[in-house]
Amino acid sequence: MPKLWNETIEEHRRAVRDAVLEATVALVAEQGLRGVTMSRIAEETGIGRATLYKYFPDVESILLAWHERQITGHLHQLAELRDGPGGAGERLAAVLDTYAFIQHRRHGHGAELSALLHRGEHVLHAERHLHGFVRDLLAEAAAAGEVRDDVAPDELATYCLHALAAAGGLPSEAAVRRLVAVTVAGLRRPS
Amino acid sequence: MPKLWNETIEEHRRAVRDAVLEATVALVAEQGLRGVTMSRIAEETGIGRATLYKYFPDVESILLAWHERQITGHLHQLAELRDGPGGAGERLAAVLDTYAFIQHRRHGHGAELSALLHRGEHVLHAERHLHGFVRDLLAEAAAAGEVRDDVAPDELATYCLHALAAAGGLPSEAAVRRLVAVTVAGLRRPS
């Protein structure tokens, strides 16, 4: 059965958009932020410059769109772990572990790109979303006796996310794993 | 015995400098960064504009000088606690506690001023210095059996400083104390 014309258009637009995002990020990784122009991106993606400008006004907006897509993907990934099988403590550990590795990989972007991307309003929004969601999971784990209950889940969430942000500067995956272990140790009930 | 002429000059210069720093920070706290001019600072300090320009070229450089003085003061304060009496674990706790409260108070500056001040090279230098010094104290505490030794002191220092940076966003001193307790709990030997 042939697709509706609108659906096909929509799919095509999404494919072009995705190709532009990928090409831009690859170019920036290769040549740095300053070396990348709209013409170069159009060339790399195989579309005309005029077409590219129908999608995005400038390089910065492409990078922000890419970053928004990344963040949305990460939040989905974390939400799946939260809603997965297992006890609250186990799911919490999976979420914190994955979050730490996201922070670790994110650092590969370089300082210039990070500074640009993290100015966006969408980052603040995602951080608030993530905080609320880690807080709820901590509350669930505390109620199940798997996490200390002498400190409010809200404060524990702030602690976790700050501590795990350290993963960004760590040199190896083993170091990230140790950071997660130390951070999680702080969440245990005091004996 | 009268002071040497050079000493008196040096003292006078330092007094003027300090008065300029204090007046500028008070004005910025009152009126925001944009509302403060060199003329207003000269007026508030009771010195001529021409004299003020002999000390500092602009408002930003005054704020950076103030910030450098603050940071140096904080590092001295932390070094005194490190070199004080008591076991390594106790001194470590005192250093981490004080650092958390410094982060907590620092946040009062407002985002605009923070962004300006934290661009400086001196901040990076101070962070490295602090990191090294917390690392050495952690190594000492680990050797004394008061801190876990399954994770390198360098990584534990990264964990501590990131976790305690969360104090900047906490609403109360009680919350800062709980954050320190949770962070220190992460440093205990796993049972």
Side-chain angles (χ1 to χ4, degrees):
Chain A
M1 203 167 69
K3 283 184 190 165
L4 291 172
W5 180 234
N6 279 344
E7 264 179 53
T8 323
I9 296 242
E10 203 33 66
E11 246 174 47
H12 172 74
R13 286 188 61 88
R14 207 176 309 129
V16 172
R17 211 180 122 89
D18 284 351
V20 170
L21 300 187
E22 300 306 334
T24 306
V25 166
L27 281 171
V28 169
E30 218 175 81
Q31 308 182 359
L33 199 47
R34 255 166 262 272
V36 179
T37 60
M38 291 292 273
S39 305
R40 189 77 189 76
I41 293 166
E43 195 183 301
E44 194 73 20
T45 322
I47 61 176
R49 259 179 99 241
T51 309
L52 178 57
Y53 278 106
K54 281 187 197 148
Y55 285 82
F56 296 102
D58 50 31
V59 178
E60 186 168 324
S61 66
I62 300 176
L63 289 168
L64 282 174
W66 172 80
H67 195 225
E68 281 196 46
R69 200 187 63 175
Q70 287 285 102
I71 286 182
T72 305
H74 291 150
L75 287 175
H76 274 296
Q77 189 187 358
L78 293 170
E80 263 177 33
L81 293 169
R82 175 194 60 186
D83 301 334
E90 215 176 312
R91 287 178 287 127
L92 176 67
V95 165
L96 296 182
D97 193 72
T98 303
Y99 177 70
F101 277 98
I102 290 170
Q103 291 295 107
H104 182 59
R105 282 191 303 269
R106 183 168 87 66
H107 223 66
H109 295 165
E112 196 188 15
L113 190 53
S114 284
L116 167 71
L117 296 176
H118 285 266
R119 256 191 272 134
E121 180 61 34
H122 64 291
V123 173
L124 217 64
H125 181 78
E127 276 171 4
R128 262 191 231 115
H129 184 77
L130 182 64
H131 184 276
F133 136 8
V134 170
R135 179 196 60 215
D136 294 349
L137 201 44
L138 280 160
E140 205 188 320
E146 299 186 78
V147 154
R148 63 196 304 160
D149 59 4
D150 60 333
V151 176
D154 192 62
E155 289 177 17
L156 290 179
T158 302
Y159 155 76
C160 284
L161 297 177
H162 275 83
L164 295 177
L170 292 177
S172 70
E173 301 208 341
V176 175
R177 252 173 244 120
R178 288 189 292 268
L179 173 69
V180 175
V182 170
T183 305
V184 168
L187 299 175
R188 278 194 205 113
R189 290 161 166 272
S191 48
Chain B
M1 202 166 70
K3 284 184 187 165
L4 292 172
W5 179 234
N6 277 347
E7 265 180 51
T8 323
I9 296 243
E10 204 30 69
E11 247 174 47
H12 172 74
R13 284 188 61 88
R14 205 176 311 128
V16 172
R17 212 181 122 88
D18 283 350
V20 169
L21 300 187
E22 300 305 335
T24 306
V25 167
L27 281 171
V28 169
E30 219 176 79
Q31 308 182 357
L33 199 49
R34 255 165 261 272
V36 179
T37 60
M38 291 294 271
S39 305
R40 189 76 189 76
I41 293 166
E43 196 183 299
E44 194 72 19
T45 322
I47 61 176
R49 259 179 100 241
T51 309
L52 178 58
Y53 277 107
K54 280 187 198 145
Y55 285 82
F56 297 103
D58 50 30
V59 177
E60 186 167 327
S61 65
I62 301 176
L63 289 168
L64 282 175
W66 171 81
H67 195 225
E68 280 197 45
R69 201 186 63 176
Q70 287 286 103
I71 286 182
T72 306
H74 291 151
L75 287 175
H76 274 296
Q77 188 188 357
L78 293 170
E80 264 177 31
L81 292 169
R82 175 194 60 187
D83 301 333
E90 214 177 312
R91 286 179 287 127
L92 174 67
V95 164
L96 297 182
D97 193 70
T98 302
Y99 177 70
F101 277 97
I102 290 170
Q103 292 294 108
H104 182 58
R105 282 192 303 269
R106 184 168 86 66
H107 224 67
H109 296 166
E112 197 188 12
L113 190 53
S114 284
L116 166 71
L117 296 176
H118 285 265
R119 254 190 274 135
E121 181 61 33
H122 64 292
V123 173
L124 215 65
H125 181 78
E127 277 170 5
R128 262 192 232 113
H129 184 78
L130 182 65
H131 185 276
F133 134 10
V134 169
R135 179 198 60 215
D136 294 350
L137 201 43
L138 279 161
E140 205 189 317
E146 300 185 77
V147 153
R148 63 195 305 160
D149 58 4
D150 59 334
V151 176
D154 192 61
E155 289 178 16
L156 290 180
T158 301
Y159 156 77
C160 283
L161 296 177
H162 274 83
L164 295 177
L170 292 178
S172 70
E173 301 206 342
V176 175
R177 252 171 245 120
R178 288 190 292 268
L179 172 69
V180 175
V182 170
T183 305
V184 168
L187 299 175
R188 277 192 207 115
R189 288 160 166 274
S191 48

